[in-house]
Amino acid sequence: METKMLFGVGLVFDTPEYGTIVMGANEELDDLLPSTIQEMIGDQIVIKTVGGEEQVYDVVSFQINHSIAGKKNVGICLGKEVSPDEVVAGSIVYYYSSEPID
């Protein structure tokens, strides 16, 4: 399996109820159905920092919001065990793809 870019992290925040949430957008997701994006996200994601470090995180839940301009913003909840300091805005979120490598 390989990893493919899902979105760039634009916002990272912590909520008392759900824990750390990362949010971002990618114009390539705008034309996809929410169910397709859900399949892409799966149970785990990889976040690569601007310094090149990679960390695998379990996905607790996610939400897809639609802007007035027709853009999709994706929020992924990483849970209470993950500190928001672990993920920096500007990092890239990748998903696991089972597509064959060309």
Side-chain angles (χ1 to χ4, degrees):
M1 272 201 294
E2 65 174 321
T3 56
K4 291 190 175 184
M5 182 182 147
L6 190 60
F7 60 81
V9 176
L11 183 63
V12 181
F13 59 96
D14 186 45
T15 64
E17 191 172 350
Y18 300 108
T20 298
I21 296 173
V22 295
M23 292 194 73
N26 177 353
E27 63 184 28
E28 293 178 14
L29 302 176
D30 292 341
D31 295 329
L32 299 179
L33 294 171
S35 59
T36 302
I37 298 171
Q38 178 181 1
E39 287 176 24
M40 291 166 62
I41 294 171
D43 295 330
Q44 289 185 322
I45 56 170
V46 177
I47 298 180
K48 188 173 185 178
T49 66
V50 288
E53 296 176 31
E54 291 184 10
Q55 179 69 42
V56 176
Y57 293 97
D58 290 330
V59 174
V60 174
S61 63
F62 72 93
Q63 185 169 356
I64 301 168
N65 297 314
H66 305 267
S67 72
I68 295 172
K71 305 291 182 191
K72 289 190 175 80
N73 295 303
V74 180
I76 298 178
C77 177
L78 304 177
K80 295 181 180 181
E81 297 79 30
V82 177
S83 167
D85 298 333
E86 287 183 41
V87 184
V88 202
S91 298
I92 306 293
V93 175
Y94 293 87
Y95 67 96
Y96 288 106
S97 172
S98 57
E99 294 179 15
I101 300 172
D102 296 325

